[in-house]
Amino acid sequence: MRVAIASIALTLAIAAPAVAEPLPPGSLGLFFGGVAGTGADADSVGLGVVEIGFAAAWQPMSTEQRTNWAIKASISWDQMNDLNPTALGTELRFTQLDLMPGIRFRPGESRAGYFTLRAGGTLLRSNQVIPGHTGRAFAGAVASVGYDWYLWGVLFNLDARYSVMGSGPTMVGLNIGISLTGP
């Protein structure tokens, strides 16, 4: 009798549908990268680096899902190194704050990698007036496309971004980040 009950229990356990594993929905981490002015702002903004950036994301998803929503907030401090310091007096620096809702989707069967598409608003503050623009504070739009992958319990990401500051500078950037994940 015990053998029959154990056999039935084992059969039911094996036949039960698999439950999706939830991915850690939250992440908090650092990123670094490069940034450049584009178009008419290529010369006035130049090339630079993201000295340091902090990002927080909420992207609830299970390994069974192919797509879901996501939201990411970030702040970065950028230094433009490609300028002639005598043209402006000092080196050009930016602080940029972003909030970008978007979607996240898994392209294949691997449950470790996800593409991201995000768009939202951004605020930018420079340490001096940028040639060709008035003022030092700007608001505008930002969009990014990226790839997130989970490795060793950590979230790594690569993001290409494009930001348009309304009456301010237009810039592109490429960021590499590492984040801790959790609930």
Side-chain angles (χ1 to χ4, degrees):
M1 181 75 163
R2 288 184 191 173
V3 174
I5 292 174
S7 297
I8 292 171
L10 182 60
T11 303
L12 291 175
I14 292 172
V19 177
E21 297 176 35
L23 292 168
S27 66
L28 185 61
L30 301 169
F31 64 91
F32 303 92
V35 64
T38 62
D41 296 308
D43 291 332
S44 60
V45 173
L47 298 172
V49 295
V50 175
E51 292 182 310
I52 191 165
F54 297 98
W58 188 256
Q59 37 210 22
M61 196 168 191
S62 72
T63 56
E64 194 173 72
Q65 293 174 298
R66 282 226 178 259
T67 62
N68 206 355
W69 64 273
I71 189 163
K72 186 174 189 177
S74 65
I75 186 168
S76 65
W77 289 270
D78 310 338
Q79 178 181 340
M80 308 314 287
N81 298 322
D82 192 38
L83 289 175
N84 177 0
T86 59
L88 297 173
T90 62
E91 61 192 13
L92 182 59
R93 292 180 168 275
F94 296 119
T95 301
Q96 189 166 357
L97 180 65
D98 304 321
L99 181 61
M100 295 185 289
I103 62 169
R104 193 173 194 230
F105 61 94
R106 181 168 43 102
E109 292 305 314
S110 171
R111 288 167 164 70
Y114 298 84
F115 280 109
T116 60
L117 296 170
R118 296 183 177 102
T122 184
L123 300 173
L124 180 101
R125 173 88 175 173
S126 65
N127 66 332
Q128 57 189 302
V129 175
I130 301 166
H133 302 283
T134 58
R136 299 184 312 141
F138 307 97
V142 62
S144 76
V145 60
Y147 190 73
D148 293 346
W149 64 97
Y150 294 90
L151 186 62
W152 306 308
V154 176
L155 178 64
F156 293 89
N157 60 3
L158 179 67
D159 285 319
R161 48 186 295 127
Y162 180 72
S163 55
V164 180
M165 299 298 158
S167 64
T170 302
M171 298 185 298
V172 295
L174 183 65
N175 297 325
I176 298 170
I178 183 170
S179 300
L180 298 176
T181 61

